[in-house]
Amino acid sequence: MFESFGFESLTAPQAVVYFALAIGLVFGLLAQITKFCFRRSLVGEDSRAAAGVWFTALAVAVLGTQGAVALGWISFADHRFMVSEVPVLAIAVGGLLFGAGMVLTRGCISRLTVLTGTGNLRAAVVLLCFAVVAHMTLKGVLAPLRVALGQVTLNMGEAVSLAALPGGALLWTGLIAAAALAIGLRSGNRPLHLVLAVLIGLLVPLAWVGTGFILYDDFDPIAMESLSFTSPSAETLFWSIASTSIPAGFGVGLLGGVVAGALLASLIFGGFAWQSFETPRQTGRYLLGAVLMGIGGVLAGGCTLGAGLSGVPTLSVAAVLAIVMIGIGARATHALLSDAAVRHA
């Protein structure tokens, strides 16, 4: 469709950077205002309110994404989420590691990216470490680990998508959206925060449709992408180092937009403050969490946004498994840390 716009000086790969920048800017603004974070919805002191925001966004993301599929705008038939040979061991291990890491750093990587824009140097260091380790796992010294775990697969055939199960896409879309929306409506959140959560959820299908339909160009194709932070973090790191030979892509625009949006929100509504590590012990804990998330995000096929908020709406069984394992890893790590704190009290 992109070629119909008649651009003479802008290619689809160039346009997608600006599109991602806009998506990221809006997400950064909304996420900072609502304190959007999957970790908080699981183990935070205000977990009920945080879960209300996160799951309301998920409900809208599911409905919007599957609506776009039904209209024929996009298809996930050839997407990596729908590979019939599901690397179950890599997803399970990766999810557990990522969940543990986000508890250690007190925030999933999307939340830490947002916090980076508010002057939080702890978050910035974690984000940098996360990007380095994710790139090491994708293409560096940790790649053999990824390959070895990825060889343990389960052939699910068409059942890799919930749409192939009894009831089809309509039933599973309705069930997921209804359950998520029920959590949101019972969360006790202010209506404004739920409205903002709806807007966050709309960004997911907007990104899918934007990259998979509106900006699609037969002569210069781009990948169909939505909100995610694992691959984009590694991509941004690599682009930052070698931008003269590596062009920017969707991930670079997305991360840049998120940081800028969070900065703007913190300056307008308050919340910008320089913060850093308080003790060497805290530094070590955060760096360990960053390493675990970097490895885990790659193995699981995405973070709480890539596999969760953006992945689940595709109705991918692999994405559902990933976010469930992330949740289990987070709850188990939180319980272990709580028990340790009690014993040392």
Side-chain angles (χ1 to χ4, degrees), residues 113-194:
T113 304
V114 170
L115 289 177
T116 297
T118 69
N120 191 314
L121 299 180
R122 293 193 303 270
V125 170
V126 169
L127 180 59
L128 177 60
C129 182
F130 170 82
V132 170
V133 175
H135 205 283
M136 290 168 61
T137 309
L138 281 168
K139 301 179 180 180
V141 295
L142 295 177
L145 171 65
R146 171 181 58 81
V147 173
L149 292 177
Q151 290 177 344
V152 181
T153 62
L154 177 64
N155 189 341
M156 300 191 65
E158 293 185 356
V160 72
S161 171
L162 294 176
L165 300 181
L170 183 61
L171 173 64
W172 290 100
T173 297
L175 288 176
I176 295 173
L181 192 57
I183 294 174
L185 294 176
R186 295 178 180 180
S187 64
N189 271 293
R190 291 181 296 171
L192 175 61
H193 273 201
L194 293 182

Side-chain angles (χ1 to χ4, degrees), residues 85-95 149-156 299 317-318 321 325:
E85 292 285 344
V86 180
V88 288
L89 181 59
I91 292 174
V93 172
L149 292 177
Q151 290 177 344
V152 181
T153 62
L154 177 64
N155 189 341
M156 300 191 65
L299 293 179
V317 172
L321 174 61
M325 296 308 296

Side-chain angles (χ1 to χ4, degrees), residues 6-327:
F7 288 115
E8 297 181 356
S9 60
L10 194 65
T11 65
Q14 292 170 334
V16 79
V17 179
Y18 294 105
F19 175 67
L21 184 65
I23 291 287
L25 186 68
V26 176
F27 178 82
L29 276 164
L30 298 175
Q32 169 60 14
I33 295 171
T34 61
K35 298 181 179 180
F36 188 81
C37 181
F38 187 63
R39 182 203 69 87
R40 287 179 58 242
S41 72
L42 294 174
V43 299
E45 295 179 357
D46 56 345
S47 59
R48 184 178 180 184
V53 171
W54 202 91
F55 281 96
T56 297
L58 178 63
V60 174
V62 171
L63 292 172
T65 301
Q66 287 304 308
V69 172
L71 290 170
W73 292 347
I74 56 175
S75 172
F76 295 101
D78 298 321
H79 196 272
R80 64 179 179 84
F81 280 138
M82 299 302 174
V83 176
S84 59
E85 292 285 344
V86 180
V88 288
L89 181 59
I91 292 174
V93 172
L96 292 173
L97 291 178
F98 190 95
M102 73 180 189
V103 170
L104 292 175
T105 59
R106 296 186 60 79
C108 56
I109 199 62
S110 61
R111 179 60 182 161
L112 294 170
T113 304
V114 170
L115 289 177
T116 297
T118 69
N120 191 314
L121 299 180
R122 293 193 303 270
V125 170
V126 169
L127 180 59
L128 177 60
C129 182
F130 170 82
V132 170
V133 175
H135 205 283
M136 290 168 61
T137 309
L138 281 168
K139 301 179 180 180
V141 295
L142 295 177
L145 171 65
R146 171 181 58 81
V147 173
L149 292 177
Q151 290 177 344
V152 181
T153 62
L154 177 64
N155 189 341
M156 300 191 65
E158 293 185 356
V160 72
S161 171
L162 294 176
L165 300 181
L170 183 61
L171 173 64
W172 290 100
T173 297
L175 288 176
I176 295 173
L181 192 57
I183 294 174
L185 294 176
R186 295 178 180 180
S187 64
N189 271 293
R190 291 181 296 171
L192 175 61
H193 273 201
L194 293 182
V195 170
L196 296 180
V198 168
L199 296 179
I200 291 175
L202 287 173
L203 293 176
V204 172
L206 177 60
W208 285 127
V209 173
T211 56
F213 178 63
I214 297 175
L215 297 180
Y216 181 78
D217 186 351
D218 289 320
F219 301 101
D220 204 354
I222 58 174
M224 185 170 71
E225 301 181 68
S226 189
L227 297 180
S228 178
F229 284 85
T230 301
S231 180
S233 295
E235 177 187 340
T236 302
L237 173 68
F238 197 41
W239 174 80
S240 300
I241 296 172
S243 60
T244 56
S245 58
I246 303 295
F250 181 88
V252 174
L254 180 66
L255 257 69
V258 171
V259 173
L263 172 62
L264 186 61
S266 65
L267 292 175
I268 294 175
F269 302 106
F272 184 89
W274 294 112
Q275 301 179 55
S276 188
F277 295 104
E278 298 172 357
T279 64
R281 182 183 180 86
Q282 184 189 58
T283 305
R285 169 176 164 159
Y286 273 65
L287 291 179
L288 174 59
V291 170
L292 294 178
M293 283 196 294
I295 298 172
V298 173
L299 293 179
C303 60
T304 54
L305 261 71
L309 191 66
S310 297
V312 172
T314 69
L315 300 186
S316 163
V317 172
V320 173
L321 174 61
I323 194 64
V324 168
M325 296 308 296
I326 288 174

